[in-house]
Structures are given as C-alpha cells and as structure tokens.
Amino acid sequence: MKVKVSRKASFNAAHRLYRPDWSFEKNEAVFGKCNNPKFHGHNYELIVSVHGEIDPETGYVMDMKVLKDLIKAHVEDAFDHKNLNLDVPEFKDTNPTAENIAVAIWKRLRPHVNSASDLEIVLYETPRNFVTFSG
Amino acid sequence: MKVKVSRKASFNAAHRLYRPDWSFEKNEAVFGKCNNPKFHGHNYELIVSVHGEIDPETGYVMDMKVLKDLIKAHVEDAFDHKNLNLDVPEFKDTNPTAENIAVAIWKRLRPHVNSASDLEIVLYETPRNFVTFSG
Amino acid sequence: MKVKVSRKASFNAAHRLYRPDWSFEKNEAVFGKCNNPKFHGHNYELIVSVHGEIDPETGYVMDMKVLKDLIKAHVEDAFDHKNLNLDVPEFKDTNPTAENIAVAIWKRLRPHVNSASDLEIVLYETPRNFVTFSG
Amino acid sequence: MKVKVSRKASFNAAHRLYRPDWSFEKNEAVFGKCNNPKFHGHNYELIVSVHGEIDPETGYVMDMKVLKDLIKAHVEDAFDHKNLNLDVPEFKDTNPTAENIAVAIWKRLRPHVNSASDLEIVLYETPRNFVTFSG
Amino acid sequence: MKVKVSRKASFNAAHRLYRPDWSFEKNEAVFGKCNNPKFHGHNYELIVSVHGEIDPETGYVMDMKVLKDLIKAHVEDAFDHKNLNLDVPEFKDTNPTAENIAVAIWKRLRPHVNSASDLEIVLYETPRNFVTFSG
Amino acid sequence: MKVKVSRKASFNAAHRLYRPDWSFEKNEAVFGKCNNPKFHGHNYELIVSVHGEIDPETGYVMDMKVLKDLIKAHVEDAFDHKNLNLDVPEFKDTNPTAENIAVAIWKRLRPHVNSASDLEIVLYETPRNFVTFSG
C-alpha cells in the first residue's frame, strides 16, 4: 500500500539571477529585475513528499517528525536567512533559479530518505510561481 | 478526453496514535505527543479527485454535486465530530494515522465512483502535513 | 534534468450551464442552479504548468515572465470580465463546464509552448471545485 | 466579556457595473471592463462577524450553527448563482459594487442579530479586492 | 508611532462542548454534534497581536522571536496535542468554546506583554469559524 | 455610509536588520539571523485599506483600479526586486523592520488618498508575521 506523505516548510533568502560571464546588458535582457546586483529576496515555501509503502506496524510511510527534522537540518539551516548566491555552495557557479534550488534541495535530501521511496520537491518562489522536481 | 475533477471537503475529529500491544513507553517513543491517552484532534481537509472521460453530452466527468453528496454520505457523516479510534470501525484495530485514514476513505468511496475512472485521496492532517493515496 | 514550472493566474467571468437542445426542465434536472438563464459567475483561478528540461545556460525551464505574458495574451484577455457563453467562441456550442474550459485553455496555450515540454492546466471554478487537464 | 465571532460563507454571482442614466462611453470610462453588458461574475467570499457578550451559560456569543443558517437563509439563498442586477431587488436601481453589496447584506442580517451586538460584513469580490462595513 | 504586530501559531486539540449539570438531551439540543462524549478535535489557528509604540532604537514594537517564544511557552506547550476538557485547568468547569479558549489565551499572555500595549487574540476553530478577543 | 475598501499587493525584496552604530556582537544579540551582512529576503504581502464615504453616484469609496495603480506607482515600483537597505531612501538610516516599512508605505500613499478617508497598511513579512499601521 503506497502513500505519498508531504511536509510543508519555508525559508527566507536573498538571491540574484545572473551569469558572471555575460555582460550586464545581456543579464538585464534575460533576467530583468531579478538581476539587481544588490539582491532581492523571497519567502520560499517548500513541500517535500516521500512516496513509499505504509509500515504496517506504525501506519506511517515515514514519521513526519523525522521528515520535519531532516528538512530543518539539511535545508532550513543551510538556506534560511541566507544569501543564496554568496552563502550556499551549490550556487557559487550555478544560477539560483527556482528550478536549480529545487534540484539542490532534492540532492541534499535524497541520501537521507529510504531508497525504496520516491522523493518530490515543490518549491514556491512566490505564491504565483512554483516548480516541481522528482529526480 | 480525460480530466481529473477534484472536490474539497473537511471534517473535525479526535484521535490517538498508539498500539495497544505496545508498552506506554514504546508508544511514547514512537508516537510522541500523538499518544496522549485522552486524545487530541484535527480539522482534516480532504480533496477527492476522480480522473475520467468527459461526458460529451453534459461536459462533466462527474457532477460535482453528486461527488459532494458522496463525500458527505460516506466520509463526513461517518468521521465528522467523531473520535476516530472509538467511533469509526476501520480504526478499531488500525492506527488512525493520516496514511491509514486516506486509505480508509478511498475504500469507502471506490465502490461509488465509475469503475473506469481513477480515484485519488489527498488528506491534510494539518496545514503542513498531508498524504496522497491513489489505490 | 526535467522540472515542472507553474504559474498562477485568474480571471472573472459569467457563465450558464445548459444545452439549448434540452427542455428547461431537463436542464434544471441536470444542471440545477447553474442553469440560471440570467447567468451567474466565478473568479476562476488557473495554474498553468510546463514540464521540460532545464536550460543549462539560464537555469530556467521557461522564463516565468514569458509564461505570464502568454497566459495574459491567450487566456486572460479573452476570458476576463467576459460572459463565457456569449463572448468566447469555444463555448458557442459547447457547455462552459470547468472541464471544457480547462481543455479550451490547454488548446489555446499548447501551440505557444515548446513542443518537447508537457503542458498541464489546473482550473479552480470555486475554492472547493477544480479540474486538471494534461492533454 | 465581549468577543467577536466570525463565520465565513460564499456565493457565486454575475453582475455588471454601470448606470443606465449614463452613456455607454461614460460607463466605459468609469467602470471599464466591469461594464460588459453581457455581465461577468465572481466567487464572493463573505465574513459575517457579531460582536457581543459571551453567554455565561453556553460560552457562546452566538451559536455558529444559527449564524450559518441565517447567512444561508438571508444571503446565500438570495444571491448564490444569481445575476445580482437582474435577480436581486436591492440592485434594481443601485450599482452592485462590492461596497453596495456589503451594505445590502448588512441590512438583510441586522434584524436577525441580537440588537445589543455589533454586526460587521467583510466581502471579498476577488482574493485581492475586499470591503468592510460595520453599519 | 503605534503599530500592531501579529504572530500566527497553531495547536491541535480534542474537546467536547457540554454542561455536566444539563441532561444529555439538553446538551444535544444546544451543542449538537459538538457534544460527542468521546470528543472530537480541531487544528486551532491563533493570531496574537500586540499594539504598541515602535522602539526607536530597534524599530520593533516587540521582537517577533520573543512573541513566538511566549506563545510557545504559555499556549502551545499547554494546549497542543491535549484534551482541552481533561488536560487544561481553565476548562475543568468552563465550556471550551472558541470564545472561552480565546479569553483563556488572552489571560495567559497578558502578564507577559508590555502593559502599555494592547493585546488581541484571534482564534480559528475551523477555517470558517473564528473569534476575536481584545480584553 | 462609510465602507473600508482593501486591495492586496506584493513585492519581493532583500533586507538586513542592524544598526551601524552597534557592534556586530550587539547586532547579533538583538537581530539574530536577520543581521546576516549578505542580506536575506522576503515576499512582502501588502493590504492597503481606505475607509471613507461611498460615492452615491458610482457606488465606490474609491475605484480599486486607481488604488491598484497608486500602490504600483508609489510602493511596488520603488520596493519590488530591491534591496531595502541599499535601494530605498527611507532605510538609509532607519532599520527596515516590518514596522518601519509599514510606516514608510503609509507616508508614501497618504498624500494620494482623499484626506477625508482613513488609510491603513497591513504588511506581511512572512505568512506568520505581520504588522498593521493606521497613522
């Protein structure tokens, strides 16, 4: 009996979208106001889902408290109240778009989730823009 | 032309997570504060989705009024303002985790939905914890 | 690396559900109060999702600004503050149910989205009723 | 001990903003796309609040079930799935702006609420536009 | 310069509405399904607001972290995953209606908030029913 | 007949809370992780309300389109995708706390709203933290 269990979390961070190997003009043309060199920021809302078998002994696919603690240790502590470009190693040379942040979160959590279960990341950059990555 | 139609509903219930064949200490270790013997409770939010062909005559996959009434008759009337452990037969010997409640709802509704359509249950135990079951 | 990017939008419209080839009584029986001949209306909330490869150069599957502008040009300008039955050609002879509106939106947007990507439409007719169409 | 108790409800309706004594051009200039002669519509979300003394016997300011039934009888049954301009007497000669609808709802409910309590109406025309009227 | 600062929190609890000095029949007539002797429950959502002067040195009316910790210590630790009737002293002889719970929360927090500031409690029992108490 | 009309808007910005005349240690002690020198950020959600008389000719307190455009011109264009500390003059020497941002928004909008009407600003820094300023 496979069920998907989902936990919401959030973090607040600054970022800037640009490529250092492009001119300022090209960055403006492609990334618009997201290219502000002094940064802007978001309240990122995150939904982490684990799709796996219900443990018949507990009735849990995964203890939500454990999932909450994993998100805290591997995502919130690293990303919350940070500048994604300057403070988070994944974005030293990679643009912190919502797509790339979702992939980075998936890679951070994947080793800590039962390998027989699927992992899905939904990341809201704003209440109107969000992305989904399932590996 | 297959479309998934979804209807939100809700019910308020008390429950307790524990196994009677375990010691109180083991129940505390596994279920934490969810093991309060005097019960706690939730506003469960429910999304029932039916994925099937659009009826070319009406433009409906399924009349939402009919789906609403099915949820009322088979879920809300049985679960709302109830103690899941004590009042609902499925949880006499099964732990009322969100996972098991979603499966129980799916089993209650499955016989009443067109067998050619897929049925999916999303159940929010809190605004931050939810589960999805598709059979 | 495939990611699904999603953009929310909205439009407000009037509509009526009925078939002109049915008697008023049959329309009442099937469509109930949605058959009010003077129309009623909704704030439709829309989520348009594009599932495709991340462009390694930009980190985008698709520029959200471009997606926002496509929705504005092909959906909002055509449907917002309109009477769906009388103002929108797709519903001249087709009942504007949520199912049929979602299919119509999908057909309007499909030619403008990268053909290697999948397109999904979620349409909320009310906060409790919504439909999903993926082609 | 005064407490304010609030109940949310909703109704879906069509409307048009215009003055019959103005030219079409003046109506367009003032009311813009809200002046579509074929109507448009909204999911109106409503919050009705009653501010009064807690009854020491029950612990209620007012039974929420009674408030829910009052809203159903005096607002939802009259406004839901209706054309506000054509079906609701208050808007025969009055423009159904959110402001005027809130006042009309207040006037309909005021006689049915304890005269020692205050009554407040919040009406959302869209998730981004709303009005508040307290008499 | 007076500003109102507000913090949202939540707790999950079981309760039952009834008066032990009334017959079961009278309790049923007044409290309906809320009178289930085996209890039901809710996810209570709470908004605590403090209205006071901005401290010109910090720009804060009150540090939100301090307010969050006060709510945790005086409300969440006492109410979360509890049976309000059986576990919380205020409701030993008082009906745990939303009104009475809001007053109890206000009384618990009032001594810990700057006496020159006003304190307001908003308590959602369900997403559609909520109460407000300001002392 | 006085009604309060409210319009929601939003902007995304980076900021840092600190006082340049304090040591880094004192800033850490008072502002915690909000003192990250590389900035963090938020999706600020804004509700602007104008409380005034209904114009009997139009049925409007104020045309929502006009209010929307005022918020765009005086708040969104100045704050969206900006670094509040570095890009917005009000915060050159003032800490951009939610309280101070709400006051700054009120001061920017006050001259553009009918002086006979009251103006209120609600500003969400996160979905759980918000402030209200009424002048």
Side-chain angles (χ1 to χ4, degrees), chain D residues 17-103:
Chain D
L17 299 187
Y18 79 115
R19 289 181 61 98
D21 57 330
W22 285 358
S23 68
F24 189 80
E25 288 68 28
K26 182 158 184 193
N27 275 307
E28 282 287 286
V30 173
F31 297 112
K33 57 188 178 177
C34 297
N35 179 39
N36 180 351
K38 295 173 190 159
F39 307 102
H40 64 284
H42 298 288
N43 301 333
Y44 292 92
E45 296 280 328
L46 175 68
I47 304 172
V48 177
S49 299
V50 174
H51 194 190
E53 291 287 337
I54 302 181
D55 176 336
E57 209 175 30
T58 58
Y60 283 161
V61 168
M62 182 174 182
D63 184 343
M64 285 294 206
K65 178 70 171 58
V66 172
L67 184 53
K68 179 187 174 184
D69 291 346
L70 281 176
I71 298 170
K72 170 102 177 49
H74 299 285
V75 183
E76 291 177 47
D77 286 353
F79 290 20
D80 189 37
H81 282 73
K82 295 291 165 63
N83 182 309
L84 298 179
N85 302 70
L86 303 180
D87 291 322
V88 179
E90 282 95 330
F91 306 113
K92 202 180 167 68
D93 299 311
T94 302
N95 220 353
T97 59
E99 289 91 328
N100 284 336
I101 301 170
V103 171

Side-chain angles (χ1 to χ4, degrees), chain A residues 17 19 22 26 30-31 34 95 97-100 102-103 107 124 126-135, chain C residues 1-10 45-47 49 51 54-64:
Chain A
L17 298 186
R19 290 181 61 99
W22 284 358
K26 181 157 185 196
V30 173
F31 296 112
C34 298
N95 220 355
T97 58
E99 289 91 328
N100 284 335
V103 172
K107 287 182 176 168
Y124 282 77
T126 72
R128 295 196 161 250
N129 289 349
F130 60 101
V131 301
T132 306
F133 181 66
S134 310
Chain C
M1 208 75 98
K2 293 193 87 169
V3 169
K4 182 166 80 166
V5 298
S6 302
R7 172 79 194 166
K8 286 194 189 175
S10 60
E45 297 280 328
L46 176 67
I47 304 172
S49 299
H51 194 189
I54 302 181
D55 176 338
E57 208 175 32
T58 58
Y60 282 161
V61 167
M62 183 176 181
D63 184 343
M64 285 292 207

Side-chain angles (χ1 to χ4, degrees), chain A residues 70-120:
Chain A
L70 281 175
I71 298 170
K72 170 103 177 49
H74 298 286
V75 183
E76 291 178 46
D77 287 353
F79 290 20
D80 189 36
H81 282 75
K82 295 291 165 60
N83 181 308
L84 298 179
N85 301 71
L86 303 180
D87 292 322
V88 179
E90 280 95 331
F91 307 113
K92 202 180 167 69
D93 300 311
T94 302
N95 220 355
T97 58
E99 289 91 328
N100 284 335
I101 302 170
V103 172
I105 291 171
W106 189 91
K107 287 182 176 168
R108 283 180 176 240
L109 290 173
R110 183 64 269 186
H112 306 283
V113 170
N114 186 333
S115 62
S117 297
D118 292 321
L119 175 66
E120 182 192 78

Side-chain angles (χ1 to χ4, degrees), chain E residues 10 20 22 37-38 41 49 51 55 61 77 87 106 119 124 128:
Chain E
S10 61
W22 285 359
K38 296 173 188 159
S49 299
H51 194 190
D55 176 337
V61 168
D77 287 354
D87 292 322
W106 189 91
L119 176 65
Y124 283 75
R128 298 198 158 249

Side-chain angles (χ1 to χ4, degrees), chain E residues 1-10 45-47 49 51 54-64, chain F residues 17 19 22 26 30-31 34 95 97-100 102-103 107 124 126-135:
Chain E
M1 208 75 100
K2 293 193 88 170
V3 169
K4 182 165 82 165
V5 298
S6 302
R7 171 80 193 165
K8 285 195 189 173
S10 61
E45 298 280 328
L46 176 67
I47 304 173
S49 299
H51 194 190
I54 302 182
D55 176 337
E57 209 174 29
T58 58
Y60 283 161
V61 168
M62 183 176 182
D63 184 342
M64 285 293 207
Chain F
L17 298 186
R19 290 182 61 98
W22 285 359
K26 181 158 184 193
V30 173
F31 296 112
C34 298
N95 221 354
T97 59
E99 290 91 328
N100 284 336
V103 172
K107 287 182 177 169
Y124 283 76
T126 73
R128 297 198 158 248
N129 289 348
F130 61 99
V131 302
T132 306
F133 181 65
S134 310

Side-chain angles (χ1 to χ4, degrees), chain B residues 1, chain C residues 90 102-112 119 133:
Chain B
M1 208 74 97
Chain C
E90 281 95 330
V103 171
I105 291 171
W106 189 91
K107 287 183 176 169
R108 283 181 175 240
L109 290 173
R110 184 64 269 187
H112 305 284
L119 175 66
F133 181 65

Side-chain angles (χ1 to χ4, degrees), chain C residues 55-121:
Chain C
D55 176 338
E57 208 175 32
T58 58
Y60 282 161
V61 167
M62 183 176 181
D63 184 343
M64 285 292 207
K65 177 73 170 58
V66 172
L67 184 54
K68 179 186 174 184
D69 291 347
L70 281 176
I71 299 170
K72 170 102 176 50
H74 298 286
V75 183
E76 291 178 46
D77 286 354
F79 289 19
D80 189 37
H81 283 74
K82 295 290 165 63
N83 183 307
L84 297 179
N85 302 70
L86 304 179
D87 292 322
V88 179
E90 281 95 330
F91 306 114
K92 201 180 168 69
D93 299 312
T94 302
N95 220 354
T97 59
E99 289 91 329
N100 284 336
I101 301 170
V103 171
I105 291 171
W106 189 91
K107 287 183 176 169
R108 283 181 175 240
L109 290 173
R110 184 64 269 187
H112 305 284
V113 170
N114 184 333
S115 63
S117 297
D118 292 320
L119 175 66
E120 181 192 79
I121 303 299

